[in-house]
Amino acid sequence: MGLLCDFCGEQRSMVYCRSDAACLCLSCDRNVHSANALSRRHSRTLLCDRCITQPAIFRCMEEHVSLCQNCDWNGHGGSASGHKRQTINCYSGCPSAAELSRIWSFFQEFPPLPDSNCEQGMGLMSINENSVSNFWGAPENSSTIDIAKAGKMNDLETANKLNPWIGSSSTSAVNPMLCGAGQPAGSVDSTTRKLALSGTKDLGLSKDDFYEDLNMDDVDLNFENYEELFGASLSNAEQLFDDAGFDSFFELKEISAANSNCQGEFVTEASSAGQAKPMQATYSNAVSADSVMSNPGSKADPSLCIPTRQARSSLSLSFSGLTGESSAGDYQDCGMSSGLFMGEPPWCPTAPESSSYTPAGRDSAVMRYKEKKKARKFEKKIRYASRKARADVRRRVKGRFVKAGEAYDYDPLCKTRSC
DNA sequence: TGAACTCGAGTATCCACAGTAGTTA
DNA sequence: GCTAACTACTGTGGATACTCGAGTT
């Protein structure tokens, strides 16, 4: 990745495609992602104007630059800079320049492209309404309030027109904080996050929908030993999860808080390290939190994702203060939104109810946790729909595929062998 | 208290075969 | 450099066997 387009190597790269791990100019973006229906699903976002390697998360309206989380924090001061910032949404499909300008209200600020063909090409783009899937809610919820204030997205109908992601009222603009482009260290203020969450209710989305999309269920899977992992520091972590709508964590909190003897080093560390610091997850056994939070179903190296049972028993997940070692980029490939770990402010004052747990409450929480775990969907991503279609109709004997023409005991097309 | 047993949850494996990727002529 | 032919590999779903931990006897 670099300044020049990874595809043509000539034009200045402007957008980042996580699926391709490529930085592309607008022209090549259109060419590459109009090739087929699958490529049109790739979510892209702007490149950081400073490092030109990471997907941008925010647009600084004061400096007119797009910044990734790293550059926003390191060179820009994050939210502390006081600059008015706008969240940069992901998009998919082949939006036109006009549509991009509606997704990104600042799009017109961009200097004219050196190659006029690019802009011309952009004008030829079209959004494929059927080629994209929903990652998250509508932009008026997931973007910053500034958009609405600016009157760019204050009309739901207008927003829906821009939104091919959720059926008839969908958007192609997705908050990169929540989309697959990765979740860098967060400087999204809590207000924004709460707004985004409250918006889910308006859209008919539940919190379950939210954390399912963010693979939080997978996190549950990894953290079998949640009571040990979270210990009694839940009062802090609770706020973060609560902000993000993770009621499962609230349940964990209830369960763990009932076990008052679950005190770890982490508690002391988190409380003394100062609440202004974003947290960093660390493993005592050198397994990075990144690894743990990343795709739990990975077969490539399970040991990196899911510690052995023995190791898990000795694990202590530490949500301590932020250290400079943990860059935003470290989290960008996490299946889970790292905003959960890097949000600002990371730790809010302890919730008043956190100190009053009863055995009944614990039982209730355990029950709810088990029910939710039972109802959890283990959906896997289908990479080849054609293969799935064939497998769906392929005849089997005791679950195994059989050669065409041979006897079978299961026909998915008629469910009974008699047919 | 520890051993043996049961139960449930989760995971690995198997199968055929179309499609993809890489190599060679 | 391009094309065709060939080989090797991948991924798909359902049933089953297996492992492991927790609970019970």
Side-chain angles (χ1 to χ4, degrees), chain A residues 282-298:
Chain A
T282 59
Y283 263 119
S284 60
N285 65 348
V287 175
S288 74
D290 199 339
S291 300
V292 174
M293 292 306 178
S294 62
N295 183 7
S298 171

Side-chain angles (χ1 to χ4, degrees), chain A residues 86 164 227:
Chain A
Q86 177 178 337
E227 294 185 38

Side-chain angles (χ1 to χ4, degrees), chain A residues 331-351:
Chain A
Y331 296 88
Q332 300 209 349
D333 283 334
C334 279
M336 175 184 172
S337 167
S338 61
L340 293 170
F341 297 91
M342 305 294 285
E344 173 260 316
W347 300 117
C348 297
T350 302

Side-chain angles (χ1 to χ4, degrees), chain A residues 207-380:
Chain A
K207 290 177 179 179
D208 288 352
D209 295 326
F210 177 64
Y211 69 71
E212 280 181 10
D213 284 346
L214 287 175
N215 296 332
M216 273 310 294
D217 279 340
D218 296 336
V219 175
D220 290 344
L221 288 174
N222 288 341
F223 292 169
E224 272 183 30
N225 239 338
Y226 48 84
E227 294 185 38
E228 291 181 36
L229 295 177
F230 291 100
S233 60
L234 299 161
S235 55
N236 288 331
E238 166 205 333
Q239 181 62 44
L240 198 65
F241 273 67
D242 200 21
D243 280 352
F246 297 112
D247 56 354
S248 62
F249 182 84
F250 191 80
E251 292 164 6
L252 296 180
K253 173 209 67 178
E254 292 178 321
I255 295 168
S256 299
N259 299 329
S260 57
N261 57 348
C262 289
Q263 295 284 347
E265 56 180 355
F266 150 63
V267 180
T268 308
E269 191 176 350
S271 59
S272 62
Q275 297 184 349
K277 294 181 179 179
M279 59 181 170
Q280 177 196 22
T282 59
Y283 263 119
S284 60
N285 65 348
V287 175
S288 74
D290 199 339
S291 300
V292 174
M293 292 306 178
S294 62
N295 183 7
S298 171
K299 295 178 180 179
D301 190 358
S303 64
L304 291 178
C305 297
I306 306 176
T308 63
R309 293 169 191 267
Q310 189 175 5
R312 270 180 292 184
S313 65
S314 62
L315 274 180
S316 67
L317 181 64
S318 173
F319 293 116
S320 62
L322 174 72
T323 71
E325 302 165 359
S326 173
S327 68
D330 292 340
Y331 296 88
Q332 300 209 349
D333 283 334
C334 279
M336 175 184 172
S337 167
S338 61
L340 293 170
F341 297 91
M342 305 294 285
E344 173 260 316
W347 300 117
C348 297
T350 302
E353 71 276 13
S354 60
S355 59
S356 59
Y357 292 98
T358 64
R362 181 182 188 277
D363 291 342
S364 174
V366 170
M367 186 174 299
R368 276 185 288 135
Y369 171 76
K370 287 182 177 179
E371 287 175 356
K372 185 163 289 184
K373 188 177 180 181
K374 191 175 182 179
R376 183 182 293 133
K377 295 178 182 177
F378 295 94
E379 294 180 355
K380 63 178 181 181

